[in-house]
Amino acid sequence: MTTPFSASQTPRPHVRMRPKTDAKRIRFGFPWAYANEVVTDRRTKALAAGTLAVLEDENRNPLGLAAVNPGSKIIARMIDTDPEAEVDQAWFAARLRRALALRDRLFDAPFYRLIHAEADGLPGVIIDRFGDTAVIQPNAAWADLRVDVIAAALVEVTGVTHVLKNAGGRTLSLEGLDDAGGMLIGGAPEAPIAVPMNGAVYMADVTGGQKTGLFYDQRPNHAFAKSVAQDARVLDVFSHVGGFGLAALAGGAVSTLCVDGAAPALDLARQGAVAMGVENRFESRQGDAFDVLTALGEAGERFDLVICDPPAFAPARPALDAGLRAYERVARLSAALVAEGGILALCSCSHAADLAKFRTACLRGIGRAGRRPALIHTGFAGPDHPLQPQLAESGYLKALFFRL
């Protein structure tokens, strides 16, 4: 199938790297060229966001096919090493098949992240699968323009019958995109989708929930929490739909208290507990996490397993210092709630705070609480969130488990 974006219909424009820029890193797999690395003459500035162009080095040697957005800091995203590649439904289907082959090896049920952007060959594209429903998050202009073609290829390759577009990504404004989501194929689910994972059941609201409806990236860290939860009193802070708390209940926890600021998320967590038949061991509390942590400490509450999985406090480098202070505060308040010999899990999804900086902030907070930690496990995102080795930003998730 040939799309309106086929190279055969219109000669591709060319964009060129500036002199003395490092084109080798792009040849060796780095997926982006920044605005200060590309010659932005009038022709380049006039290109529509999402245009496919041949990216050349300073000597006009082709580096490959790139998606160009003159208004973005990431002006070129590498799409294919072949500058003549036809980016049509067959092209998308080939990448989806490759991604699906990996997920079929990893999981025995169709609940996972199918496409994780650059690492799966589709820069800026996220696709999460929930059985026969899939949610596409096109976070780059080139993908947003072609989202209908992506959806058609998705149905062709996976057989899903419902495809939604989610427009909740943080990069939308940077790419000049709107926040209009909606159905692309099929009908919207009438109720949250039950997702089995690690022996727990999670309720994913794919139409009105946060991001695509569920965070698959924490799956292996949920599993570790489950493995240490037998007979534990558990506190899950920033719980969203109960990710760690429900996993702990599946692992034999005697009780779980989920804390979140969003009532709809806590309602989904409770629905998950009901679906698991453990609602008698489940409690929730809505409120600001810092306020609840402080109140629990003042009340003398203690838990055998405490998990804090906050949103990104340092989503970009300018927010790093403030973000690290917030992580330190979370560590201090939560460490005070851990019973002697208990376990504290602290998580970060901030790519600007690397593992060393995040660990230092956690240790500082734990120390300020007067506790002595031993690091027993370091976790990262699951294998359905593969790491693009040349792109540090794709290694965003860290989970540290301490025995106190």
Side-chain angles (χ1 to χ4, degrees):
M1 172 179 173
T2 300
T3 75
F5 309 101
S6 169
S8 63
Q9 296 182 12
T10 306
R12 292 243 167 90
H14 290 232
V15 294
R16 182 164 44 93
M17 302 284 287
R18 292 178 183 270
K20 298 182 180 180
T21 51
D22 186 9
K24 280 185 180 179
R25 66 193 179 109
I26 291 178
R27 290 194 189 279
F28 295 155
F30 189 77
W32 299 343
Y34 295 101
N36 62 357
E37 298 177 313
V38 171
V39 176
T40 50
D41 54 21
R42 283 181 298 175
R43 285 180 298 178
T44 300
K45 290 179 180 179
L47 294 176
T51 296
L52 300 187
V54 178
L55 181 63
E56 301 173 332
D57 66 16
E58 62 179 289
N59 298 314
R60 300 192 181 278
N61 299 309
L63 297 168
L65 184 64
V68 177
N69 185 348
S72 173
K73 179 181 177 182
I74 303 172
I75 194 171
R77 298 173 187 264
M78 296 304 298
I79 302 298
D80 201 301
T81 55
D82 177 7
E84 300 300 322
E86 298 259 357
V87 182
D88 53 14
Q89 184 172 323
W91 185 91
F92 283 108
R95 276 159 171 70
L96 287 164
R97 287 192 185 94
R98 179 179 173 83
L100 180 62
L102 173 62
R103 277 66 179 182
D104 283 345
R105 296 177 68 180
L106 295 171
F107 306 111
D108 58 7
F111 299 93
Y112 42 68
R113 174 152 293 183
L114 176 60
I115 292 292
H116 191 54
E118 282 78 0
D120 282 306
L122 293 176
V125 180
I126 297 298
I127 302 178
D128 283 346
R129 184 176 182 183
F130 305 88
D132 64 358
T133 297
V135 181
I136 303 174
Q137 191 176 81
N139 295 323
W142 82 278
D144 192 64
L145 281 173
R146 298 163 177 84
V147 70
D148 290 328
V149 183
I150 298 172
L154 187 58
V155 171
E156 174 191 337
V157 170
T158 66
V160 297
T161 52
H162 307 279
V163 181
L164 297 86
K165 174 187 173 183
N166 175 279
R170 280 198 301 263
T171 62
L172 290 178
S173 60
L174 301 177
E175 286 285 304
L177 302 175
D178 61 35
D179 59 356
M183 292 303 305
L184 298 172
I185 294 173
E190 296 181 356
I193 299 171
V195 177
M197 196 160 54
N198 291 319
V201 178
Y202 300 97
M203 294 297 176
D205 180 1
V206 298
T207 57
Q210 192 173 353
K211 296 295 181 67
T212 63
L214 195 66
F215 296 110
Y216 282 126
D217 53 0
Q218 287 280 23
R219 187 191 317 241
N221 302 317
H222 292 162
F224 187 82
K226 174 185 175 182
S227 74
V228 295
Q230 182 69 43
D231 299 326
R233 296 158 295 166
V234 178
L235 174 64
D236 180 7
V237 186
F238 305 98
S239 67
H240 190 228
V241 299
F244 282 97
L246 296 181
L249 290 174
V254 297
S255 65
T256 281
L257 172 60
C258 285
V259 176
D260 201 90
L266 290 175
D267 184 56
L268 291 169
R270 179 169 295 280
Q271 291 180 44
V274 170
M276 295 167 61
V278 296
E279 63 270 28
N280 61 321
R281 293 187 277 142
F282 174 88
E283 292 183 57
S284 65
R285 184 178 300 188
Q286 182 187 359
D288 175 82
F290 292 102
D291 292 343
V292 174
L293 286 170
T294 300
L296 290 171
E298 291 173 348
E301 296 284 356
R302 294 294 181 270
F303 301 86
D304 304 299
L305 174 60
V306 176
I307 309 104
C308 294
D309 183 18
F313 287 147
R317 193 167 300 279
L320 178 58
D321 289 343
L324 292 174
R325 288 194 296 271
Y327 287 125
E328 179 183 333
R329 186 182 177 202
V330 168
R332 175 175 59 83
L333 293 173
S334 57
L337 300 175
V338 180
E340 182 63 31
I343 293 173
L344 172 63
L346 300 169
C347 305
S348 167
C349 59
S350 299
H351 70 76
D354 64 21
L355 177 60
K357 290 184 176 67
F358 174 60
R359 186 171 54 221
T360 297
C362 292
L363 291 173
R364 187 180 295 118
I366 293 170
R368 289 184 62 195
R371 307 301 299 271
R372 295 175 63 86
L375 181 61
I376 62 172
H377 180 72
T378 300
F380 302 96
D384 53 343
H385 291 63
L387 176 69
Q388 163 73 309
Q390 295 91 345
L391 193 63
E393 288 86 346
S394 59
Y396 63 98
L397 184 65
K398 290 81 64 177
L400 303 176
F401 288 77
F402 300 93
R403 183 180 186 271
L404 303 187

mmCIF file of all heavy atoms in Angstrom, residues 198 219-229 343 376-377 401:
data_model
loop_
_atom_site.group_PDB
_atom_site.id
_atom_site.type_symbol
_atom_site.label_atom_id
_atom_site.label_comp_id
_atom_site.label_asym_id
_atom_site.label_seq_id
_atom_site.Cartn_x
_atom_site.Cartn_y
_atom_site.Cartn_z
ATOM 1 N N ASN A 198 1.587 -10.363 37.041
ATOM 2 C CA ASN A 198 2.243 -10.768 38.286
ATOM 3 C C ASN A 198 1.258 -11.351 39.299
ATOM 4 O O ASN A 198 1.446 -11.209 40.509
ATOM 5 C CB ASN A 198 2.983 -9.590 38.923
ATOM 6 C CG ASN A 198 4.199 -9.156 38.128
ATOM 7 O OD1 ASN A 198 4.938 -9.999 37.622
ATOM 8 N ND2 ASN A 198 4.404 -7.850 38.004
ATOM 9 N N ARG A 219 6.548 -3.527 35.682
ATOM 10 C CA ARG A 219 6.199 -4.937 35.869
ATOM 11 C C ARG A 219 7.264 -5.720 36.657
ATOM 12 O O ARG A 219 6.932 -6.401 37.632
ATOM 13 C CB ARG A 219 5.948 -5.595 34.508
ATOM 14 C CG ARG A 219 5.427 -7.007 34.616
ATOM 15 C CD ARG A 219 5.436 -7.740 33.263
ATOM 16 N NE ARG A 219 4.982 -6.930 32.170
ATOM 17 C CZ ARG A 219 3.920 -7.190 31.398
ATOM 18 N NH1 ARG A 219 3.193 -8.271 31.630
ATOM 19 N NH2 ARG A 219 3.604 -6.405 30.401
ATOM 20 N N PRO A 220 8.557 -5.685 36.272
ATOM 21 C CA PRO A 220 9.529 -6.472 37.042
ATOM 22 C C PRO A 220 9.735 -5.961 38.464
ATOM 23 O O PRO A 220 10.054 -6.744 39.365
ATOM 24 C CB PRO A 220 10.819 -6.361 36.217
ATOM 25 C CG PRO A 220 10.651 -5.129 35.400
ATOM 26 C CD PRO A 220 9.195 -5.016 35.107
ATOM 27 N N ASN A 221 9.543 -4.671 38.689
ATOM 28 C CA ASN A 221 9.685 -4.125 40.033
ATOM 29 C C ASN A 221 8.472 -4.474 40.895
ATOM 30 O O ASN A 221 8.611 -4.723 42.100
ATOM 31 C CB ASN A 221 9.904 -2.618 39.950
ATOM 32 C CG ASN A 221 11.123 -2.284 39.125
ATOM 33 O OD1 ASN A 221 12.163 -2.925 39.252
ATOM 34 N ND2 ASN A 221 10.997 -1.311 38.232
ATOM 35 N N HIS A 222 7.287 -4.503 40.271
ATOM 36 C CA HIS A 222 6.120 -5.039 40.978
ATOM 37 C C HIS A 222 6.384 -6.479 41.399
ATOM 38 O O HIS A 222 6.031 -6.894 42.515
ATOM 39 C CB HIS A 222 4.886 -5.020 40.063
ATOM 40 C CG HIS A 222 4.384 -3.652 39.735
ATOM 41 N ND1 HIS A 222 3.529 -3.411 38.667
ATOM 42 C CD2 HIS A 222 4.598 -2.448 40.314
ATOM 43 C CE1 HIS A 222 3.247 -2.124 38.621
ATOM 44 N NE2 HIS A 222 3.876 -1.518 39.609
ATOM 45 N N ALA A 223 6.996 -7.257 40.505
ATOM 46 C CA ALA A 223 7.264 -8.671 40.801
ATOM 47 C C ALA A 223 8.215 -8.804 41.985
ATOM 48 O O ALA A 223 8.044 -9.694 42.840
ATOM 49 C CB ALA A 223 7.837 -9.365 39.564
ATOM 50 N N PHE A 224 9.236 -7.939 42.061
ATOM 51 C CA PHE A 224 10.149 -8.023 43.201
ATOM 52 C C PHE A 224 9.422 -7.657 44.488
ATOM 53 O O PHE A 224 9.617 -8.311 45.531
ATOM 54 C CB PHE A 224 11.365 -7.128 43.001
ATOM 55 C CG PHE A 224 12.401 -7.321 44.071
ATOM 56 C CD1 PHE A 224 13.309 -8.363 43.988
ATOM 57 C CD2 PHE A 224 12.443 -6.478 45.171
ATOM 58 C CE1 PHE A 224 14.251 -8.566 44.993
ATOM 59 C CE2 PHE A 224 13.384 -6.676 46.185
ATOM 60 C CZ PHE A 224 14.293 -7.723 46.089
ATOM 61 N N ALA A 225 8.594 -6.611 44.432
ATOM 62 C CA ALA A 225 7.817 -6.243 45.621
ATOM 63 C C ALA A 225 6.926 -7.401 46.061
ATOM 64 O O ALA A 225 6.804 -7.690 47.261
ATOM 65 C CB ALA A 225 6.988 -4.997 45.332
ATOM 66 N N LYS A 226 6.323 -8.065 45.105
ATOM 67 C CA LYS A 226 5.488 -9.225 45.419
ATOM 68 C C LYS A 226 6.302 -10.294 46.137
ATOM 69 O O LYS A 226 5.825 -10.924 47.091
ATOM 70 C CB LYS A 226 4.898 -9.787 44.125
ATOM 71 C CG LYS A 226 4.118 -11.083 44.295
ATOM 72 C CD LYS A 226 3.668 -11.628 42.947
ATOM 73 C CE LYS A 226 2.988 -12.986 43.101
ATOM 74 N NZ LYS A 226 2.591 -13.539 41.779
ATOM 75 N N SER A 227 7.545 -10.491 45.716
ATOM 76 C CA SER A 227 8.367 -11.570 46.274
ATOM 77 C C SER A 227 8.758 -11.324 47.723
ATOM 78 O O SER A 227 9.148 -12.273 48.425
ATOM 79 C CB SER A 227 9.631 -11.757 45.421
ATOM 80 O OG SER A 227 10.569 -10.713 45.631
ATOM 81 N N VAL A 228 8.668 -10.084 48.205
ATOM 82 C CA VAL A 228 9.048 -9.780 49.594
ATOM 83 C C VAL A 228 7.842 -9.333 50.420
ATOM 84 O O VAL A 228 8.008 -8.741 51.497
ATOM 85 C CB VAL A 228 10.157 -8.706 49.638
ATOM 86 C CG1 VAL A 228 11.434 -9.235 49.000
ATOM 87 C CG2 VAL A 228 9.710 -7.415 48.961
ATOM 88 N N ALA A 229 6.638 -9.611 49.931
ATOM 89 C CA ALA A 229 5.435 -9.072 50.570
ATOM 90 C C ALA A 229 4.707 -10.054 51.476
ATOM 91 O O ALA A 229 3.724 -9.671 52.123
ATOM 92 C CB ALA A 229 4.466 -8.570 49.496
ATOM 93 N N ILE A 343 11.313 -3.078 54.486
ATOM 94 C CA ILE A 343 11.864 -2.729 53.176
ATOM 95 C C ILE A 343 11.218 -1.453 52.652
ATOM 96 O O ILE A 343 9.994 -1.281 52.736
ATOM 97 C CB ILE A 343 11.651 -3.887 52.172
ATOM 98 C CG1 ILE A 343 12.493 -5.093 52.598
ATOM 99 C CG2 ILE A 343 12.025 -3.457 50.741
ATOM 100 C CD1 ILE A 343 12.236 -6.338 51.770
ATOM 101 N N ILE A 376 19.277 -3.699 48.570
ATOM 102 C CA ILE A 376 19.143 -5.130 48.278
ATOM 103 C C ILE A 376 18.742 -5.414 46.838
ATOM 104 O O ILE A 376 18.905 -6.539 46.361
ATOM 105 C CB ILE A 376 18.128 -5.804 49.228
ATOM 106 C CG1 ILE A 376 16.723 -5.199 49.065
ATOM 107 C CG2 ILE A 376 18.599 -5.703 50.676
ATOM 108 C CD1 ILE A 376 15.636 -5.953 49.831
ATOM 109 N N HIS A 377 18.236 -4.398 46.125
ATOM 110 C CA HIS A 377 17.827 -4.652 44.737
ATOM 111 C C HIS A 377 17.716 -3.336 43.990
ATOM 112 O O HIS A 377 17.214 -2.350 44.532
ATOM 113 C CB HIS A 377 16.478 -5.379 44.697
ATOM 114 C CG HIS A 377 15.986 -5.678 43.308
ATOM 115 N ND1 HIS A 377 16.544 -6.643 42.507
ATOM 116 C CD2 HIS A 377 14.981 -5.130 42.575
ATOM 117 C CE1 HIS A 377 15.914 -6.678 41.344
ATOM 118 N NE2 HIS A 377 14.970 -5.775 41.362
ATOM 119 N N PHE A 401 15.451 -0.773 46.194
ATOM 120 C CA PHE A 401 14.854 -1.448 47.338
ATOM 121 C C PHE A 401 15.898 -1.522 48.462
ATOM 122 O O PHE A 401 16.985 -2.076 48.270
ATOM 123 C CB PHE A 401 14.399 -2.857 46.971
ATOM 124 C CG PHE A 401 13.186 -2.905 46.089
ATOM 125 C CD1 PHE A 401 13.273 -2.631 44.736
ATOM 126 C CD2 PHE A 401 11.926 -3.231 46.618
ATOM 127 C CE1 PHE A 401 12.163 -2.683 43.910
ATOM 128 C CE2 PHE A 401 10.804 -3.280 45.808
ATOM 129 C CZ PHE A 401 10.917 -3.012 44.459
#
